[in-house]
Amino acid sequence: WKDVTSLGEAYEAVRRRLGSLNGSLMHIRADPGKRIFFNQTQRHPPLRLLLYTLMFPIFLVRLTFFLIGLFMCWVFACIATVGHPFPSNVLEREALPAWRRHVAKAICLCNRVMVWCCGFVWIEVEGQRDPSVTTLVSNHITALDPFIISSLGQIAPLNKRDFENIPFAGRILLAIQAILVDRSSKESRKATAALLKKRSISELGTYPPTLIFPEGSNTNGTGILKMKIGAFIPGKPIQPVALQYPFKNFDPSFAVDVTLLRGIILPMFQPYNRVRVSYLPTYYPTDEEKADPHLYAEKIRHLLAKYLNVPAVEHTMEDAICLMKAFDLNLPLNLCPTRPEIEQLGQVIPEVFDVDVRQLLRSFAQFDADKDGWISFKEWCHALHISESLVAKDVFQLLDLGDNNEISVREFMAGA
């Protein structure tokens, strides 16, 4: 920019810079792997409507017992935690005494009732839980995953701190000695890592086994995401747990295009749903894996992928967060950029790695009035509150690298 001496030269410099990217952008391949984040329920509206009509009386019964089960969870949680101190600093919290832990076991039975109400009448179990292991690691598919595993025995799940604000949930999470983490807080993540290490070396029976979903997000079960390393930092033995939800028509996965209400309510309308929980043999890390949590995480990820016969994909939790943001903004999910696409774009424009994709999607949504995933010239002018002049058209065409009179998310990102 030191060589630019006028606005006209600045315009020409930008035009040449973006124009040189046109061919490169057109050769960036769309990411078919992002389908791992989409629900696979077959769309048959008339049949769905008929099923929901026939199942409505059963749904009412299931919903009633589900709420009763949730209420009883809260009652047992209150009994198990009444009078017990819970310091705000999680590292200062002591384990619940034995009698309180026995009361909390009743929550497992209540969880089984709630899982049954969601149509999971039978739970297929393969293998056995290793009583000598303090940490369980599983793939994450539905919102009911922790309930299903908990119904088979006590666990202390690692959850987002947001869950403690859900009615009844806060007291229940205290009773089962769950670990809560604020992903946006570096201090919270650091405290969580210290707490995981503390529990991994505690005496067996002091705490329930910690259940962690290191992918950090739900998928539809057709692959395993890259894992966060928190569960692997202590370097202790881990028992992998593989979850599978075989289905023909209704996919119960809590994918990015599924709301929380739909993820809990719609399974109740199904005659029955299937789930298979497989306890894999306990894995003992090598000295090299103990020293390198990333290596340890990759080993467990590939063990789960091999057992489930699915690929270990290059996508991450951040891809799911961006797709959820696009879903919230009513943008087409298939046009939202994911990690593989951004890496391809970054080879052409290194500055793209500095772009906040979520902020970019918010900005794009402000321009894309009809939410079709493209910005027309009219939408461009309307969002900027300018007239459809020749100057405005020239600026618009700077970003319209494909010369199709529309700007895509990819072109918008290149311009950003």
Side-chain angles (χ1 to χ4, degrees):
W1 293 107
K2 294 180 180 178
D3 299 329
V4 175
T5 58
S6 68
L7 183 61
E9 290 184 12
Y11 175 86
E12 285 300 316
V14 173
R15 185 184 64 79
R16 287 194 301 269
R17 168 67 167 147
L18 290 176
S20 67
L21 300 175
N22 186 19
S24 300
L25 286 178
M26 294 305 105
H27 285 88
I28 293 178
R29 298 183 302 275
D31 175 23
K34 69 176 66 173
R35 289 194 296 267
I36 190 176
F37 296 109
F38 302 156
N39 189 276
Q40 302 178 95
T41 298
Q42 298 183 18
R43 311 298 179 185
H44 300 299
L47 295 179
R48 287 267 152 226
L49 181 60
L50 177 60
L51 175 64
Y52 295 156
T53 302
L54 295 176
M55 289 293 297
F56 188 72
I58 296 177
F59 161 73
L60 292 178
V61 174
R62 287 177 169 177
L63 180 61
T64 300
F65 278 96
F66 182 91
L67 295 175
I68 292 174
L70 179 61
F71 178 74
M72 292 306 300
C73 277
W74 179 79
V75 170
F76 287 120
C78 289
I79 296 173
T81 58
V82 63
H84 187 77
F86 291 97
S88 57
N89 186 348
V90 294
L91 294 176
E92 297 177 358
R93 293 182 183 179
E94 298 295 332
L96 294 179
W99 74 268
R100 294 181 184 271
R101 295 199 299 271
H102 286 302
V103 173
K105 285 182 179 179
I107 295 176
C108 298
L109 179 61
C110 297
N111 283 338
R112 183 66 188 96
V113 172
M114 290 191 290
V115 168
W116 179 87
C117 291
C118 290
F120 296 95
V121 181
W122 300 278
I123 298 178
E124 303 173 36
V125 180
E126 295 183 0
Q128 294 181 338
R129 183 185 294 186
D130 186 344
S132 66
V133 171
T134 59
T135 305
L136 304 176
V137 163
S138 175
N139 58 320
H140 203 6
I141 299 178
T142 77
L144 297 171
D145 292 348
F147 294 91
I148 290 172
I149 297 177
S150 174
S151 68
L152 302 175
Q154 278 188 303
I155 50 102
L158 175 65
N159 290 113
K160 294 187 296 185
R161 187 170 295 279
D162 300 343
F163 286 137
E164 67 179 352
N165 298 322
I166 299 176
F168 297 104
R171 181 60 59 174
I172 296 172
L173 291 171
L174 287 175
I176 63 178
Q177 304 184 82
I179 300 175
L180 303 179
V181 58
D182 181 359
R183 292 175 176 173
S184 61
S185 169
K186 184 177 180 180
E187 291 74 17
S188 177
R189 296 196 301 270
K190 186 176 180 180
T192 299
L195 187 56
L196 288 172
K197 186 173 182 179
K198 174 185 175 182
R199 293 197 179 187
S200 69
I201 61 176
S202 62
E203 183 180 352
L204 289 175
T206 305
Y207 295 96
T210 304
L211 173 65
I212 303 176
F213 301 102
E215 292 174 291
S217 180
N218 300 85
T219 69
N220 58 22
T222 58
I224 304 293
L225 304 180
K226 280 187 170 295
M227 294 181 170
K228 300 297 182 181
I229 64 171
F232 309 97
I233 292 177
K236 299 295 181 180
I238 284 177
Q239 183 171 27
V241 181
L243 292 174
Q244 295 169 284
Y245 292 84
F247 72 94
K248 289 185 178 180
N249 298 306
F250 176 75
D251 177 11
S253 67
F254 189 56
V256 297
D257 54 346
V258 176
T259 61
L260 180 60
L261 185 63
R262 177 184 168 189
I264 298 294
I265 296 299
L266 287 190
M268 296 185 187
F269 278 96
Q270 310 308 310
Y272 73 95
N273 297 298
R274 293 182 59 195
V275 59
R276 183 180 301 120
V277 181
S278 302
Y279 292 103
L280 277 61
T282 300
Y283 183 79
Y284 295 85
T286 63
D287 292 338
E288 188 179 6
E289 290 165 345
K290 290 178 182 179
D292 186 352
H294 293 278
L295 184 62
Y296 193 2
E298 279 298 291
K299 181 64 177 182
I300 296 297
R301 187 166 84 104
H302 283 87
L303 280 176
L304 282 170
K306 182 178 180 180
Y307 180 83
L308 295 170
N309 195 27
V310 297
V313 299
E314 295 303 308
H315 296 84
T316 65
M317 177 186 74
E318 286 70 26
D319 288 324
I321 293 174
C322 290
L323 287 168
M324 283 188 283
K325 186 63 182 178
F327 179 72
D328 292 339
L329 295 170
N330 294 319
L331 295 174
L333 297 182
N334 62 317
L335 298 179
C336 179
T338 52
R339 178 188 175 94
E341 292 171 316
I342 292 175
E343 287 183 347
Q344 291 182 69
L345 186 58
Q347 294 175 4
V348 183
I349 315 173
E351 297 89 345
V352 78
F353 294 116
D354 298 326
V355 175
D356 184 338
V357 179
R358 281 176 288 177
Q359 179 60 47
L360 180 137
L361 289 173
R362 283 192 290 268
S363 300
F364 186 89
Q366 293 173 354
F367 283 86
D368 185 15
D370 58 6
K371 308 304 178 188
D372 65 347
W374 298 86
I375 300 174
S376 66
F377 178 57
K378 184 176 182 180
E379 290 173 328
W380 170 268
C381 294
H382 178 75
L384 294 176
H385 305 289
I386 59 177
S387 60
E388 298 181 21
S389 63
L390 292 176
V391 175
K393 186 69 173 180
D394 286 341
V395 176
F396 177 82
Q397 289 177 337
L398 280 176
L399 296 178
D400 181 19
L401 302 179
D403 292 328
N404 57 351
N405 295 319
E406 290 182 314
I407 298 173
S408 67
V409 177
R410 188 181 296 172
E411 292 167 335
F412 194 80
M413 179 178 286

